[in-house]
Amino acid sequence: MALADARALVPGLAAFEHDPAADSALQLALVRACARYTPMAAPAGDAALVLDLTGCSAALRLSPAQVAADLRGRLDRLGLQSRLALAATAQAALALARFDRAQIADLPVAALDLDTETHRALDRAGLRTIGDLAGRPRAPLVARFGPRLAVQLARLLETEDARITPHRTPPPIRVEQRFAEPMMTVAPLLDVVHTLAARAQLLLVERGMGGRRFELALCRTDGHVAALTVHSGRAIRDPDEVERLFAARIESLADPLDPGFGYDLIRLVVPELEPIDEEQAHFDRPDAPGDLAPLLDRLGVRFGPDSVRRFAPRDAHLPEYGAALVPPNAPSGEWPRPEPGEPPLRPLFLYDPPQRVSVLAEVPDGPPRRFIWHGKPYRIVRHEGPERIAYPWWKHPHGGGPTRDYYRIEDEQGHRFWLFRHGLYGQEARDPAWYLHGLFA
């Protein structure tokens, strides 16, 4: 139901934004955890797991029912509600759990997972459960509803098994270099990093991936391990780029690396991967501007990943909250764009706080004609508006502040300003104040 209707029934109801990425991460974590029972585990849809326990009972010394009981207990301890079912095929088990039935014959025809029209036609024909379909000849059903019905029905009746494709997390990219004689200085370290990055590049190309994070472990002969980590704003796998990032990271260290009695092992791991496409950059545009990503990566390595930020649009009602500082590689939406040929909707520069100005208008609730700012008068020759912006009623049910009427104006010199009247005349204020909120380029 709608959130407003739900809160009318339960005033204290807590509501949270849906986070599909977090849901998917939790589902995959549960799949990996089920490796204690079987290597054949996979996600099914958005909220289900399927496990193939064939041949696992002897190794586990547990029957399938005992595995289900153990799994249910672990999910309960995690605070997750679950419905578990056992069947000879994955499709049958999923259907029993989804519709909370004990017998396959009691499953509704919706368990066939066909289109809505087929389900409706079966219901009109009086065929409402899988048991109603089980004893009927297949040929008339296929002629009427298509061959997919027969395939799905056979899988639910456990006469045909569609094998699952297990989810296996690919191992992280890991390359290492051992030395017969310990490396006593850090002078050749970047050469070793380049060599390891070149070997890692071959593995990344095979997977069609690039690295977003690279971790370097420097193992000394006395057991001490120094760890260096660099982040990239985009997926990379070029050894030269990886070497430059580590060179900047080493230069930024407050305490220089101490090889002690020497490094006998150096390991490079790429734990964070991202798909990357092969492309010929700027093949048809030799004069295209350079990519800023390498510069941003070096700045992030030298000054810290939290020191480099950019502005991104934010879904906020009030203009002063319409932008946020985010990392360079963070996803963001598009800025509002005017119609072709129209001036910009919002100024590039906003004052914080807005500047108080004196305004002369023909009528109290009309557009401005003149205004004085910092003692200098401006005569307005063009104006657009008003654009009325009120405080969000869903956040401030009792009123969070006066309504704003914004005007885009232009003076005799061609300068463009963004002014607003703070408060509705005669309703929210007897003499509303005017403010300059921004300047157009």
Side-chain angles (χ1 to χ4, degrees):
M1 63 178 65
L3 179 59
D5 297 336
R7 280 184 169 158
L9 297 175
V10 185
L13 180 66
F16 304 93
E17 291 292 335
H18 180 214
D19 189 350
D23 289 348
S24 177
L26 173 61
Q27 187 182 27
L28 292 180
L30 293 175
V31 169
R32 289 192 290 268
C34 287
R36 69 175 61 245
Y37 306 118
T38 173
M40 300 289 288
D46 296 330
L49 308 179
V50 57
L51 281 67
D52 187 348
L53 299 175
T54 305
C56 296
S57 295
L60 296 172
R61 297 182 180 179
L62 295 173
S63 66
Q66 290 173 320
V67 170
D70 183 77
L71 178 56
R72 180 181 289 107
R74 294 179 183 273
L75 294 174
D76 290 343
R77 288 192 292 273
L78 290 174
L80 299 175
Q81 299 180 3
S82 61
R83 289 201 300 263
L84 278 68
L86 295 168
T89 64
Q91 292 74 22
L94 286 170
L96 290 173
R98 176 185 174 190
F99 293 96
D100 198 16
R101 298 291 193 274
Q103 302 293 330
I104 295 176
D106 298 333
L107 289 171
V109 292
L112 294 170
D113 197 21
L114 303 175
D115 58 273
T116 305
E117 290 298 326
T118 301
H119 295 160
R120 186 179 296 113
L122 290 171
D123 184 71
R124 289 174 179 172
L127 304 173
R128 296 182 173 85
T129 66
I130 299 301
D132 297 334
L133 292 171
R136 292 184 172 271
R138 298 292 189 272
L141 293 175
V142 171
R144 173 64 179 84
F145 301 105
R148 179 171 168 76
L149 183 144
V151 173
Q152 293 294 93
L153 183 60
R155 292 174 178 176
L156 289 180
L157 294 176
E158 303 176 330
T159 59
E160 178 181 329
D161 187 11
R163 298 296 179 182
I164 68 171
T165 301
H167 173 81
R168 292 188 177 93
T169 303
I173 301 294
R174 182 192 305 266
V175 291
E176 60 185 35
Q177 178 70 51
R178 296 180 180 273
F179 304 97
E181 294 293 335
M183 190 174 72
M184 304 300 297
T185 68
V186 296
L189 177 58
L190 291 179
D191 292 334
V192 177
V193 170
H194 189 279
T195 301
L196 292 175
R199 290 165 54 189
Q201 182 186 30
L202 299 177
L203 301 176
L204 290 169
V205 170
E206 290 179 359
R207 298 190 187 183
M209 308 292 281
R212 290 289 299 275
R213 189 170 87 245
F214 296 82
E215 298 177 354
L216 190 68
L218 308 173
C219 304
R220 290 194 320 209
T221 55
D222 60 359
H224 178 271
V225 178
L228 298 177
T229 301
V230 296
H231 298 261
S232 174
R234 58 188 176 88
I236 61 173
R237 59 191 181 205
D238 182 18
D240 293 333
E241 292 187 57
V242 177
E243 180 185 353
R244 283 195 293 267
L245 291 179
F246 276 107
R249 180 72 180 93
I250 294 172
E251 291 179 6
S252 66
L253 292 176
D255 297 325
L257 292 172
D258 180 14
F261 293 102
Y263 299 118
D264 59 353
L265 171 65
I266 297 180
R267 179 184 297 116
L268 178 66
V269 181
V270 191
E272 187 174 339
L273 306 180
E274 187 176 285
I276 185 173
D277 296 327
E278 298 287 352
E279 61 178 7
Q280 174 67 53
H282 313 316
F283 182 74
D284 58 342
R285 295 184 298 132
D287 57 341
D291 189 3
L292 288 178
L295 172 61
L296 296 175
D297 290 342
R298 290 196 296 272
L299 292 175
V301 170
R302 181 174 295 273
F303 301 107
D306 296 332
S307 301
V308 183
R309 287 290 185 268
R310 66 177 176 86
F311 283 105
R314 183 167 58 182
D315 186 12
H317 195 62
L318 298 178
E320 54 265 36
Y321 302 120
L325 288 173
V326 299
N329 59 327
S332 62
E334 294 186 359
W335 294 96
R337 297 180 179 273
E339 296 294 331
E342 293 291 324
L345 301 176
R346 294 286 187 270
L348 294 176
F349 179 83
L350 291 181
Y351 284 104
D352 182 22
Q355 302 286 306
R356 179 73 180 268
V357 295
S358 299
V359 170
L360 175 65
E362 291 183 353
V363 294
D365 58 350
R369 294 301 181 187
R370 296 175 182 270
F371 73 96
I372 299 176
W373 179 38
H374 291 314
K376 181 179 179 180
Y378 296 84
R379 191 171 76 87
I380 300 170
V381 296
R382 295 181 180 86
H383 74 272
E384 295 175 315
E387 177 189 357
R388 181 160 294 178
I389 298 179
Y391 272 78
W393 58 265
W394 57 92
K395 293 184 178 179
H396 305 278
H398 303 294
T403 303
R404 305 178 188 178
D405 279 346
Y406 279 88
Y407 290 88
R408 292 182 291 178
I409 62 174
E410 183 177 327
D411 70 351
E412 295 174 310
Q413 306 299 323
H415 303 138
R416 305 192 73 245
F417 307 88
W418 204 36
L419 271 67
F420 71 88
R421 181 174 45 236
H422 202 212
L424 300 178
Y425 177 78
Q427 301 179 32
E428 298 177 345
R430 294 183 59 184
D431 187 14
W434 285 84
Y435 293 90
L436 174 65
H437 203 168
L439 302 175
F440 291 90

